[in-house]
Structures are given as structure tokens and as C-alpha cells.
Amino acid sequence: MENNMFIHILFMLVIAIATIAILGRVGLPAILAYLLTGVISGPSGFHWFTQHEMHYVAELGVVLLMFTLGLEFSVPRLWSMRRTVFGLGSAQVIVTAFIAGGVAYLLGQNLVAAVVIGSAIALSSTAIVLKLMNEQGWLRRRHGELSVSVLLFQDLAVVPMLILLPLLANDGSQMSLNSIAYALLTGILAFLGLMSFGKWVLPRIFDEVARSRSNELFVLSTLVVALLTGAFTQWVGLSMALGAFIAGMLLGESQYRRQLEADIRPFRDLLMGLFFISIGMMLDFNLVMQYWWQILTILIAAVALKIIIVYGLLKLAGEHAKVALSTAISLGQVGEFSFVLLALAVNYQLLDTEVSTVLVAVAVISMSFAPWLIRHSVDIAKKFKGGKPSKSMESQTITLPGGDDDDFVVILGYGRVGQTIARFLKTEAINYIVLDLDPIRVTESRAAGEPVYFGDACKMGILKRIGIRQASMVVVTFTEERQAEEALAVSRKLAPDAKILIRTRDDSNLKELKEAGATQVIPESLEGSLMLVSQVLYKCGVPLPRIIKRLESERRNHYQYLHGFFSGTETDFTLDLLHAVSLSTSASSVGKKVADIPWHQLEVELRAVRRKGSEIEPAPDDWVFRRNDILMLVGKPRSIEKAEEYLLQG
């Protein structure tokens, strides 16, 4: 039995991988691939699993989804977009839910079921719309701004729905004002309790976790907080997802927000995949075939209703017809949170399985067509509503999390060097953003208004969040070798065209870092020597352009003059030494050319040759050694000994 379970899980994962790859080639979202995997693995397919068996694991995916959604919400952000979010967004949700729910009630559904149906249809797909808007470069255009505003309110509107659903399970026949008031009061008290916990306890917990510098502890703490708050709200009779959302919202104001999201994302994506697979298992193809004409009718009606409502509201608000229609088309589909509401409603026995199956099928089909509709929304709007929108409408923008469209510098590490770089960038009005793992340093700098965020510079997720793909330059300021190499590899992968500068202690791994993608490696000890040399030469009267030219030559030649030094009392056998070999009359190399000596095999470098007080650097290959020539050799001590023996004795 256990072996069969393992094999079934393995097959299910293989199917998921294959479907994601295939649907991705035709531009369809991964959500549909997970739903298809659920159909194949569930009762309608091979019947390896049932929706009930997947329920508890899938519910964790919803909890983590709500946690990361909470991280995105902040009071300043909502306030800056209050007109469109709470005006347009609330009107769209209320009007759509009222009309769709009213139709469902007239068709024989009870009041509770009608509310669930209306709420599910009112929601659109945040993941699909934002992804495609970003790909098309429309997020900063007017219809992109309006779409994001509506989606923000829709996501926020899920919260009161999550409060009401568990309580309504106690009485599925009617919805009284007392039950609504009790549910809202319970939700407010739970919110206040979690607010107190989040204000006084959570910051101290994560400060201690961050000081430990343990990535494993940070990830574990994030998971525990998300699940613990969910368990608390479930204990008071509300939804687990509500508690996770509140916890995420509290932590969204902290300096750890981006790191939290980067840590939780792999678990969220995996568990959300299982959630959508469990939704796919709810699809009974016998019912789908039985109600196929109802599904098509509801699909057309739902999409048309949402487009008409959004278009009408925007026209009433004074928006241009083309902007209004393209926004409405982009929001016409049914979203992923509809699956969450439908699944919870079925679990609480608020909705019949047949009705849920029909609505899930409607949502799946609408999401299948969503990419095509969004990509062609502007073209469709042009055909139906000719003319161009006003320039002011096109130019209005919003600030989205994750970066700016302008070039800017990403600084990884905010120690002494990182702060110095940031100060000079600020004086030149160059935009920059910083990642650092020291919680105290991040707190102090953010209090001073610096764009510094807590996060691991070696993690791909958090680098994406700060917008490294738009960066013109990345500066790695920490000198820990392993960390610098990992940050370089991830940064180069995400920003292939950016200049990447790396600070190191010395140039021991300069070649490796260059091959790994570093634009320039700055060895701190060697650069310090060059700066001192430049000051000495300048004080000696050497012209400044000549000094700069000389320094740049040293950098291009990999600091050749800064390697190989005469040894003292204490010799470091790990460093290259500079050693002078004087050729006597009997030296075997007298009369030979430079090219005749196997320098590579001897593992030494001929730096220069001195003859009669003058120095030849470097000596040409056809240079013939003579008696009393002094050869300046650079290499490890043991190699120097062997080379000297070879040059003198052969």
C-alpha cells in the first residue's frame, strides 16, 4: 500500500511537470496545469487520490498564499491608491457579487450559496493579470493602474469572506444580522490580539532570529509564525487563512518583508500546486458533460457581466472609453481566490458539490482564455472604441513593489564599504537599493530613510523582489569568499547585462571571479597600495594624467607590480616572492635566449633583466643572456629555488 502511494505521488508529480511544460509553451498559466493534473490523478482519471485526501496538505497552501498576500499590503500603499482601490474596487466587487448572487438566488440557490457564488464570480485572477501586464509593459499605463487597483481590493475583500464562511457553516439555511455581527466582532478581536502580538512580540522574535545568521532558523520561524497565527484564528472559529493574512500584513511593515517572502515562496508554490491539484480532483467529468450547456452559459454570462460592470463604472468615473474597455477585458476572468472560496464552501457544506463543479469548470475555462484576452485587450478596445486616450491618462503611474523602470545600482552588503558607496551615489542623485543581513544596521539605516532591506543576497527570490533585473550595476561589498561567489552567480543569472563589481581582500581568486561573470574585481589590499602609490607619485611631481594611466595599466595587467616581493625574516610560503639571480660566467643560461628557458615548467615569471645599471622590462623573447646579468624572478619560494638552480647549473 505504501509503495503504491509513493508510486502514485511520483506519477502525479511527473504529470504536473509535463503539463506545466506543455501549457507553458502555448502561453497558458501553471494553474491550469495543476488543475489538469488533479483531473488526471483524481476520481475522473486514474483515481489515485481523492480531494479529501489532499485537503489538509492543500489547505496549508492557501494559508501560505494568504501570508504572502498579507506581506504585500501596507497602509501607506493603500492610502496612496485609495481613490481607485476603495472607490472603483469596492464598487466592482459589490455590484458584481450582488448581481451574480441575485441571479443565483432567483435560480433556486439559498441565500448563503448565492452569496458564495456571487463572491466567487466577482473575483479576478491577480496572478495571471499582473504577470501578463508586466510582460506587456502595461503596469505603468492607465488601464494597468486601474486593473491593479481593482485586484488589490478584490484580494482585500477575501478577508471578510474568510471571516463569514466558518460561522455560516453553523447555519446554512439563513444568514442573520446577529451572525454577521458576531463574526465581525470575533474577527476584530482576533485582529486586535494578533496586532498586539505582531507589534510587541514578533519584531523581537525576528530580531533574535536574524542575529543568529542562520538561514534554516529564519525559514523555520517564518513557517511557524504563518501556521501558528492560522491555528489561532481557526481555534476562535475563523479561517486559518485569515490568521496567516493578518500575520503577513503585520510583518509586511517590517524590514524583514522581502526576506520573509523569498523564504516562504518555495513552500507556498509547492503547496499551492497541491491545492490546485486538489481543486482539479473536484472536477467530475460526468457532471461536466451533463451540465455542459449550463457551464458555457454561465461562462459567457459571467465574463460578459464583469466586462460590462467594470466598463460602466469606469465610464461613470470619467475614464476614456478605450481605457475603460481594455481594463474591463483584462478583469473579465474568474480568479484563483474563487477556488479558495468554493473549496471552503464545499468543506463547510455551504455549497452543493454539483454547483461547485460547474463553477470550477467555469473558472478553469475563463482562466484558459484570460492570457489571450489580456494580450489583445488594447487591440480589441481600439476596434470597438476608436481614438486615442488622453495623454494625461496614459502618463499616470503608480509605484509597484519590486523596483523602478529607471536604471539604478544594487548594493549587496551595507558595511563600511557599502555605506561609503551609497553616500557617494546619493550625492550624485543616482538611485540605489541595498540588501544586508545585519538586523540592527538595517533598522538604523531605515530609520534614517535609507533604501536598505533585510535579505540574503544569495537568494534569487529576494533579488528579483528588489528589481535586480532593471539594475545597471550590482556592487558586492562583502569579502566572505563563498558568499561573494554565490551572490555573483545569482546576480549574473538574473541581470545578464548589468555591470557587476566585487570587492575582495586580495586577488587570489581574481581569475575565477572574472570567469564567473564579474565585470571588475577590486582587491582591497592591492587597491589600497595603488592609492598610496598615486599620492606618493603626485607629491613627487608626476603629472596626474600619467598617474591615472599607470594605475589603469596595473588594473588591466591584473596588478602585476603588486605581486612578488623580497622576503624578510619571516617568509610566507603561500605568497609569490621577488628574487634576484645574478648570472656568473659559468652559469648554464649564459648565451641562451629568453625563449629557450622553460619558464612555464619552472613555474616562475621573468619580471625584468638588469644589465649595466639599466632595466629591461619585460625582456623580449630573443634577448640573449650575458655574464653579470641580473634576472628578477617572481614565484613561490620552492619554484624560485628550482629556477635558480636551473639557470645556474642547468
Side-chain angles (χ1 to χ4, degrees), residues 154-215:
Q154 288 181 1
D155 293 343
L156 195 60
V158 174
V159 176
M161 299 175 191
L162 295 175
I163 295 176
L164 290 175
L165 284 180
L167 188 70
L168 294 176
N170 297 326
D171 184 8
S173 60
Q174 60 181 357
M175 182 188 297
S176 65
L177 293 177
N178 290 335
S179 63
I180 296 176
Y182 178 78
L184 292 176
L185 179 62
T186 306
I188 292 172
L189 292 176
F191 178 78
L192 293 176
L194 289 175
M195 281 287 289
S196 302
F197 176 72
K199 183 176 181 180
W200 288 292
V201 180
L202 276 185
R204 291 181 173 85
I205 292 176
F206 277 96
D207 283 343
E208 292 300 322
V209 171
R211 289 191 185 101
S212 70
R213 301 295 181 93
S214 171
N215 187 55

Side-chain angles (χ1 to χ4, degrees), residues 229-268:
T229 51
F232 170 74
T233 50
Q234 188 181 48
W235 177 68
V236 298
L238 301 172
S239 168
M240 284 186 69
L242 174 63
F245 174 82
I246 296 175
M249 188 170 62
L250 295 173
L251 289 171
E253 296 292 336
S254 73
Q255 65 210 33
Y256 305 114
R257 188 187 79 178
R258 285 174 170 78
Q259 183 68 33
L260 288 167
E261 185 174 4
D263 286 337
I264 209 76
R265 177 172 292 175
F267 301 95
R268 183 202 68 185

